[in-house]
């Protein structure tokens, strides 16, 4: 979307800036994504297409990750250390997506997910 009525010099500068912006954007994309957006020659339109394509996916990841934390349960063959590491990993993923759970919530979901041989520990921790 080039502005109308640009002088030849300004049009040349716009073309160069647009070309540079497209190159920078495409350098940050995977090969598959580059192919998906290869035909776009306007940086603003390219950026808006990328934004609309991935915004929904980010929201979906937020929902999935939040649910993963809320439904966290220790696996029958998982050690307590591995379970805590997995809980921390999910909490980090939540934070990186902009889902901020309070420390109390993180502890609540982690303790609630204890079962099997850890039921007594869970009950003690709940009190």
């Amino acid at each position: 979307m080039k502005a109308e009525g640009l002088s030849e010099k300004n049009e040349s500068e716009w073309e160069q800036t647009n070309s540079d912006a497209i190159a920078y954007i495409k350098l940050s994309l995977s090969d598959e994504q580059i192919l998906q957006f290869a035909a776009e020659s306007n940086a603003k339109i390219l950026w808006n297409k990328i934004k609309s394509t991935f915004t929904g996916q980010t929201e979906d990841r937020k929902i999935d990750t939040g649910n993963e934390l809320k439904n966290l349960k220790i696996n029958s063959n998982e050690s307590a250390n591995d379970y805590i590491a997995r809980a921390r990993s999910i909490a980090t993923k939540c934070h990186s997506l902009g889902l901020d759970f309070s420390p109390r919530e993180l502890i609540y979901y982690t303790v609630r997910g204890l079962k099997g041989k850890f039921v007594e520990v869970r009950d003690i921790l709940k009190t």
Side-chain angles (χ1 to χ4, degrees):
M1 290 183 157
K2 188 170 22 171
E4 297 293 321
L6 292 175
S7 69
E8 191 173 313
K9 179 182 177 199
N10 287 343
E11 186 174 336
S12 175
E13 287 176 8
W14 185 92
E15 290 288 341
Q16 184 60 50
T17 302
N18 182 65
S19 180
D20 289 348
I22 288 173
Y24 287 127
I25 292 169
K26 287 184 177 179
L27 281 172
S28 67
L29 300 174
S30 70
D31 292 342
E32 296 82 23
Q33 292 166 337
I34 289 171
L35 291 173
Q36 182 180 357
F37 301 107
E40 192 52 59
S41 62
N42 182 292
K44 182 176 184 346
I45 293 171
L46 172 62
W47 183 254
N48 287 337
K49 284 182 178 180
I50 291 170
K51 185 177 173 183
S52 69
T53 298
F54 294 105
T55 298
Q57 290 178 5
T58 301
E59 290 302 315
D60 290 349
R61 279 196 303 265
K62 280 183 181 182
I63 293 167
D64 290 342
T65 304
N67 285 334
E68 187 178 0
L69 180 63
K70 290 175 184 175
N71 297 314
L72 181 64
K73 290 185 180 18
I74 193 166
N75 297 321
S76 59
N77 60 347
E78 188 173 30
S79 72
N81 286 339
D82 290 344
Y83 174 67
I84 297 299
R86 187 163 54 93
R88 285 182 177 163
S89 173
I90 295 168
T92 300
K93 193 185 329 180
C94 285
H95 182 72
S96 71
L97 290 169
L99 287 172
D100 290 321
F101 288 94
S102 71
R104 176 71 185 108
E105 287 175 294
L106 296 173
I107 292 168
Y108 172 80
Y109 293 127
T110 305
V111 169
R112 187 181 71 179
L114 292 171
K115 60 183 183 176
K117 63 184 177 184
F118 297 104
V119 169
E120 289 179 19
V121 174
R122 179 191 66 203
D123 292 342
I124 292 168
L125 290 172
K126 280 185 164 182
T127 60

